[in-house]
Structures are given as C-alpha cells and as structure tokens.
Amino acid sequence: MDYTVNHMGDSTVVIEFGKTIDQKVHEHVQQVFSFFEKQSPDWMIECIPAFTTVAILYDPVKVFSHTKKALPHETVTDYIKDTLRNISTLQPAEGRKIEIPVCYGGEFGPDLAFVAEHNSLTEDEVIRIHSGTEYLVYMIGFAPGFPYIGGMSKKIAAPRKDTPRTKIPAGSVGIAGNQTGIYPIETPGGWQLIGQTPLPLFQPESESPSLLKAGDVITFKPITAEQYKEEKRP
C-alpha cells in the first residue's frame, strides 16, 4: 500500500493513504486501524481513523524508555514502517450492518419539502431514494458519535441552509451537498433536516459511547410517527 508518514507535534504521527475519499483508501485506513487496535504497543495512547489517515498518538517518555533514542518520533516512524510491511495482506474487520429507523418529514424533517422541490421530486421520492441504498460510515467526528457517511445519491443533494439553526434535536437526519448525516446530540447546524431517528447514537455512559463506527454499513428504514414514539428510548 502507498502511504506517507507525517509528524504533528512531539506525540502524534499521521499515516496518510491518499488525498481522495474512496473505497480503496478507506480499506487501507481500516486495515491499519484494526491492526493497531488489536496489537497496540504499550507506548501508544490512541489510534484515530479518519477519511484518508490514521493518527497514532504516543507517549514519548515510554518510547524513549524502550529505545533510549533522542528522537522518539523516529522510533515510532520506524515501527510503523516495519508494521505496514508485515500487514500488507491483512484484511480489515468486516463492518457491521445496522438499520437506522427514520421518521421522515413533518415535525421530524422540516426541510424535506425543500429538498424535494430543489431536486424536482416529490417528498415520497426523496424518502424512497434516501432509504433505498446502503451507506458506508467513513469516520466519526465533528460531534461525539457523528457519522461521516458516503453513498448518498446526487439526485437528492441539497445546499446547506443560508442561516444555520442554533439548535438541532439529537437524532436528526440531514442532507448537506452530496452528503447525508445524523446528528447524535443536540447541536447547532446548517444541514437540511429530512427526518429523525429514535435510536440514540451517542451514550456517554456506555462502554462504547458511539453507536456507529468507521466501516459500518447502514441503511435507513422509514417509520411512522407512531412507530417513532414507540421506539424512542428514555
């Protein structure tokens, strides 16, 4: 695999696998992330995957105590290069398949009509297109548990709002440009809201706070307002 290694400060190394967001680059990211998650050296603090990179955060004191080299980042870089040579054939862990129930339109999706009109579609057509495909979670970021999702049809693309809302309810499903996403917590935002899910995407008290992870494959399932209220957890 092709990659570059860059240093950020005195305790982070970033492995970059490309400049574009695509399936192959994502597979390399997940491949390396899976390895370091399972077989992390004791000096590694955290491993963070993104669209095209994996960041390795490390404790320079621990690195130095192992090797006594003056520049711990050189030790970490050498370790990464040796590791990548040996895991080039390792397959990333298969992503989970998760169905996200969504109540579209009405009070749950106040911008559904705008998205439909912007694309010369009916609201039902927008719902059918949005819920009729599989999506890939590329990374988690922006807000705790917020999934960056790929795979939305350009047929329902829509611009961000000129004036962002100051408060968006947790679980809101939105569209911005060619992307769709789910707000896991109440936060300001400028995406066009087309629906809302009753599933909690972020639970800080849980051992695994984020429902979704990079590599997950998700689908959206339309539900009624009554079903939303039934499935909504306290």
Side-chain angles (χ1 to χ4, degrees):
M1 63 179 72
D2 295 327
Y3 67 91
T4 58
V5 178
N6 302 296
H7 305 286
M8 295 181 63
D10 60 359
S11 60
T12 303
V13 170
V14 177
I15 313 167
E16 184 175 53
F17 298 96
K19 300 292 186 181
T20 59
I21 302 169
D22 60 41
Q23 183 70 33
K24 193 64 178 179
V25 170
H26 172 75
E27 288 176 0
H28 288 328
V29 169
Q30 287 301 107
Q31 182 181 21
V32 172
F33 172 69
S34 296
F35 177 86
F36 278 101
E37 279 286 280
K38 295 175 182 177
Q39 303 186 41
S40 58
D42 64 357
W43 43 258
M44 191 181 86
I45 298 172
E46 191 174 5
C47 181
I48 305 173
F51 276 125
T52 63
T53 63
V54 175
I56 306 294
L57 283 64
Y58 61 91
D59 183 334
V61 175
K62 284 188 177 180
V63 174
F64 180 78
S65 67
H66 282 302
T67 65
K68 305 302 181 183
K69 288 185 178 179
L71 299 175
H73 74 266
E74 292 182 351
T75 299
V76 174
T77 299
D78 290 343
Y79 179 89
I80 289 171
K81 290 180 178 179
D82 288 341
T83 298
L84 295 189
R85 278 194 291 268
N86 295 325
I87 68 170
S88 58
T89 59
L90 179 68
Q91 294 299 314
E94 186 174 348
R96 303 168 300 165
K97 291 190 175 182
I98 300 176
E99 184 179 76
I100 307 292
V102 178
C103 184
Y104 289 94
E107 62 179 302
F108 301 103
D111 301 319
L112 178 61
F114 170 82
V115 174
E117 182 179 359
H118 179 76
N119 291 286
S120 300
L121 299 169
T122 66
E123 293 184 19
D124 285 343
E125 286 174 325
V126 172
I127 294 171
R128 178 180 56 78
I129 294 170
H130 188 265
S131 62
T133 188
E134 287 188 336
Y135 297 86
L136 177 64
V137 177
Y138 277 91
M139 62 175 283
I140 303 296
F142 162 62
F146 186 96
Y148 282 85
I149 302 170
M152 193 189 78
S153 171
K154 294 182 180 179
K155 293 179 180 179
I156 55 174
R160 293 171 182 266
K161 298 186 75 65
D162 292 333
T163 303
R165 290 181 170 92
T166 57
K167 184 184 295 186
I168 291 179
S172 294
V173 178
I175 288 176
N178 294 327
Q179 295 186 82
T180 187
I182 313 169
Y183 286 87
I185 61 174
E186 185 179 284
T187 179
W191 290 36
Q192 304 289 348
L193 305 183
I194 62 171
Q196 194 172 136
T197 178
L199 290 183
L201 267 69
F202 182 69
Q203 295 181 297
E205 70 280 1
S206 300
E207 182 177 347
S208 181
S210 178
L211 172 66
L212 301 176
K213 298 179 180 179
D216 286 344
V217 175
I218 65 173
T219 54
F220 294 106
K221 175 188 174 183
I223 60 174
T224 64
E226 290 73 21
Q227 290 172 315
Y228 175 93
K229 293 173 183 177
E230 289 176 0
E231 295 186 29
K232 182 70 173 177
R233 300 174 187 174

